[in-house]
Amino acid sequence: MISLNVNRKIYQVDADPNMPLLWVIRDIIGLTGTKFGCGVAQCGACVVHLNGEAVRSCVTKVSRAEGQQVTTIEGLSADNNHPAQVAWNEENVPQCGYCHSGQIMSAAVLLRENPDPSDEDIDAAMAGNICRCGTYQRIRKAIHLASEIQKKGGAK
Ligand code: FES
Ligand code: FES
């Protein structure tokens, strides 16, 4: 059994220690907001936070997360009110939506580390998150809006 803290809740999971964290999150715990895109650390659809840092859960062994704090899109905020979530909603960012859990989880780390990112900062920080629908302009706009919301003391 592996003990996992996901979104501040403890789960005892019966999984091979080498199983990707993504598999455990989706298929064993049942939190399906985090997506499988490429499985080889190339797209960013599977980004979650491990102790507050963005990791690609498709290539992170579940054993690495044992006893650590895992946060998925479902646990990013109490009421979908993280500044990035609010901004994504305001700007109607998603098209098909598939990539956006990962986009938002990456954006949340960017906004914590750089509360007022320039376009260049955003492009650099988000380069690992691919969107097949090409929503990059709206992602950029939403991150600027999230930065404003955060400055005004938005949730989290
Ligand atoms: S599914 Fe993990 S990076 Fe693509
Ligand atoms: S909105 Fe479709 S992949 Fe990004």
Side-chain angles (χ1 to χ4, degrees), residues 8-153:
R8 298 167 292 284
K9 195 169 159 196
I10 304 296
Y11 297 87
Q12 304 294 336
V13 297
D14 186 9
D16 185 307
N18 292 321
M19 183 181 277
L21 178 59
L22 177 62
W23 276 220
V24 175
I25 289 170
R26 286 183 56 88
D27 296 345
I28 298 182
I29 294 177
L31 293 169
T32 54
T34 308
K35 301 302 184 202
F36 171 79
C38 64
V40 289
Q42 295 295 309
C43 76
C46 66
V47 169
V48 299
H49 296 173
L50 188 58
N51 299 332
E53 297 307 321
V55 297
R56 287 160 194 258
S57 60
C58 69
V59 291
T60 302
K61 291 177 181 175
V62 65
S63 56
R64 198 180 141 207
E66 184 160 25
Q68 316 294 315
Q69 301 268 355
V70 178
T71 306
T72 70
I73 188 72
E74 290 92 342
L76 180 62
S77 62
D79 198 14
N80 294 332
N81 58 352
H82 184 283
Q85 290 171 302
V86 173
W88 247 249
N89 202 20
E90 288 275 309
E91 298 291 347
N92 285 319
V93 178
Q95 188 164 314
C96 80
Y98 200 81
C99 68
H100 283 289
S101 301
Q103 303 278 6
I104 289 172
M105 295 309 276
S106 293
V109 173
L110 166 64
L111 287 160
R112 189 191 66 219
E113 291 180 351
N114 181 355
D116 196 11
S118 65
D119 283 348
E120 293 70 30
D121 295 335
I122 293 171
D123 291 349
M126 301 298 292
N129 285 81
I130 306 300
C131 175
R132 282 189 309 181
C133 303
T135 61
Y136 299 110
Q137 295 299 330
R138 294 204 294 275
I139 288 171
R140 224 196 233 175
K141 223 172 148 195
I143 292 175
H144 285 302
L145 175 60
S147 163
E148 293 304 316
I149 296 169
Q150 189 171 257
K151 275 189 241 163
K152 288 182 194 145

